[in-house]
Amino acid sequence: MLKIGDQHFCIFKVANMNNEKKVRDRRLIAFTSVSGTDVEFYYKLLTKRYDTVLTSFFEKSLENLKTVQIKDGY
């Protein structure tokens, strides 16, 4: 659980590797509720490279999510 502004987000981090295709799959999924409506955010990366884009994916995705501003009732 992460609080951003006045909103609480439930966050899931997923990391998989498809050995057959040599593809790395990274996903960050965040859920919150605004005025009784569920809101979902998805970040996804598919890559064959092992580089800083891959290793910093979760950190960068969370930085981006923290820029979201939600105002109840708007």
Side-chain angles (χ1 to χ4, degrees), residues 16-73:
N16 289 316
M17 173 75 174
N18 182 325
N19 289 325
E20 185 177 308
K21 295 182 181 179
K22 306 284 191 231
V23 174
R24 299 169 191 275
D25 179 349
R26 298 293 186 267
R27 298 170 198 231
L28 184 135
I29 307 164
F31 301 92
T32 191
S33 181
V34 179
S35 299
T37 301
D38 293 335
V39 179
E40 304 171 7
F41 295 86
Y42 290 90
Y43 296 86
K44 181 177 177 179
L45 173 67
L46 298 173
T47 185
K48 290 186 176 187
R49 295 182 182 177
Y50 189 89
D51 56 12
T52 58
V53 173
L54 179 74
T55 59
S56 65
F57 173 77
F58 292 124
E59 177 184 325
K60 297 290 185 183
S61 298
L62 282 173
E63 285 177 20
N64 182 273
L65 184 63
K66 289 177 182 178
T67 67
V68 171
Q69 296 181 15
I70 299 174
K71 295 187 179 178
D72 209 12

